[in-house]
Amino acid sequence: MYRQTAREIAVHLAYELNFTDLTTEELLNGRLNPEAFESLSKEDELYQDPPDGEQESYIRRLVSGVASHGGELDDYIEKYARGWTFARISLMASAIMRTAMYEILYMPEIPDAAAINSAIEIAKKYETPETVRFINGILGGFTRQERET
């Protein structure tokens, strides 16, 4: 499993946080195990191989960070989504942006460009071209403005 695959799984889990009463830890424990991957692999090849220890740690760190900093990340999205209300942004688009923003803010070992490029590649799989451009614009503006201050 590559980091891009792990990142996409983290986006799926960040998205799923919108629909569950489970704690973040319960969700991660329930999804990051061989049985869950075997079951999900029938629906999505993304889940063909369970993550190794390093990849699982990365996914857990990213999803837990998105959950614990959700309000802050949503404030950034709203700040840079000029002309859009947060309620108008799809849950998948917001999950993609939250994960990229968390990496940019709290995971200095991940280059900003890698976080943005990966987010755009993931968005291309799940969103319209217009939404992909929107996500790119928000993440670009966010990175330029927040890195300057």
Side-chain angles (χ1 to χ4, degrees):
M1 175 185 296
Y2 297 102
R3 177 160 288 185
Q4 179 66 11
T5 303
R7 186 178 278 118
E8 189 172 346
I9 290 168
V11 167
H12 283 197
L13 294 170
Y15 172 79
E16 192 171 346
L17 287 170
N18 293 296
F19 303 103
T20 185
D21 292 330
L22 299 173
T23 67
T24 304
E25 189 66 24
E26 290 168 337
L27 176 66
L28 290 168
N29 290 340
R31 296 289 184 261
L32 295 177
N33 63 67
E35 295 80 22
F37 268 72
E38 184 179 335
S39 174
L40 290 169
S41 71
K42 296 172 182 124
E43 299 172 29
D44 191 336
E45 68 181 36
L46 184 67
Y47 295 92
Q48 184 175 358
D49 298 314
D52 66 21
E54 183 178 325
Q55 294 155 339
E56 182 175 337
S57 176
Y58 166 78
I59 293 168
R60 285 180 178 277
R61 179 177 174 201
L62 187 52
V63 174
S64 295
V66 166
S68 64
H69 291 274
E72 172 193 9
L73 300 171
D74 289 351
D75 288 346
Y76 281 122
I77 293 170
E78 195 158 36
K79 177 180 178 181
Y80 292 100
R82 295 184 179 106
W84 284 59
T85 61
F86 191 80
R88 204 172 144 206
I89 300 169
S90 77
L91 292 175
M92 180 55 85
S94 62
I96 292 166
M97 289 186 283
R98 287 176 188 137
T99 56
M101 288 177 171
Y102 183 81
E103 285 182 314
I104 291 165
L105 290 170
Y106 297 104
M107 299 176 84
E109 69 277 14
I110 307 288
D112 294 353
I116 293 171
N117 290 338
S118 291
I120 297 308
E121 289 307 310
I122 293 168
K124 287 177 182 178
K125 287 180 70 175
Y126 301 101
E127 293 292 348
T128 65
E130 295 79 19
T131 303
V132 172
R133 287 191 297 275
F134 174 74
I135 291 169
N136 191 36
I138 288 178
L139 293 176
F142 165 76
T143 302
R144 283 188 300 278
Q145 293 296 314
E146 299 308 317
R147 288 294 189 204
E148 289 177 6
T149 56

